[in-house]
Amino acid sequence: MLGEVALEQQLAQARAALREVSGAAAPRERAESVAEAADGRIRVTVGTDGRVSAVDIDPRVLREGSEHLAAELRRAVNSALDGQDDGADAVEPMPDLAALSATVERLQDQGLRQMREISQTVSETMRKLHRS
């Protein structure tokens, strides 16, 4: 069974490790995403900031009318945006390590307090038994 000092040292080490991991966790960066529509005559690029950074339209697609252009452009933009989500689905979301750390610290402190109270109660009971 661990003594109180040893337990406190282990808890301090666990807290330090959790702080180190939460400090090292960086949000995942987006990759540039490119999509095409209208048989490659419309090309849309979404940059790493999540915004449309380029739209390339072959002039021949303009001959097919504004409704066709709008539909194909919308399809290309949505596909490029969807392409940015593909990488995020492959990686599990990062938990909120700061909140987790705070919860662990609160539980550890509460556990130590309860352990001290139990230890004190056991000591008092043992003293009473020895007196009897």
Side-chain angles (χ1 to χ4, degrees):
M1 185 150 134
L2 287 176
E4 190 174 320
V5 173
L7 182 59
E8 285 186 38
Q9 286 175 342
Q10 283 190 341
L11 293 176
Q13 290 171 351
R15 287 178 178 178
L18 189 54
R19 277 192 299 273
E20 184 178 320
V21 169
S22 65
R28 186 175 106 30
E29 290 188 28
R30 295 181 183 180
E32 183 178 83
S33 177
V34 179
E36 294 181 349
D39 299 321
R41 294 177 291 168
I42 297 176
R43 181 179 170 105
V44 174
T45 304
V46 174
T48 57
D49 60 355
R51 300 179 60 86
V52 175
S53 60
V55 177
D56 298 309
I57 299 175
D58 184 321
R60 293 176 291 170
V61 80
L62 299 174
R63 293 184 205 138
E64 296 178 31
S66 62
E67 287 182 21
H68 177 74
L69 174 64
E72 292 298 309
L73 186 57
R74 181 175 48 254
R75 190 164 67 92
V77 169
N78 287 332
S79 293
L81 291 171
D82 289 344
Q84 287 212 318
D85 293 338
D86 290 345
D89 292 342
V91 177
E92 290 188 28
M94 178 64 84
D96 183 353
L97 294 178
L100 181 61
S101 179
T103 301
V104 167
E105 287 184 21
R106 182 180 50 80
L107 291 173
Q108 289 173 342
D109 290 340
Q110 182 181 1
L112 282 174
R113 275 192 306 276
Q114 289 174 344
M115 180 188 236
R116 287 182 188 121
E117 290 171 6
I118 291 169
S119 180
Q120 185 177 9
T121 303
V122 168
S123 294
E124 288 174 11
T125 303
M126 293 300 290
R127 275 194 300 269
K128 288 178 184 177
L129 287 174
H130 284 300
R131 284 186 219 153
S132 303

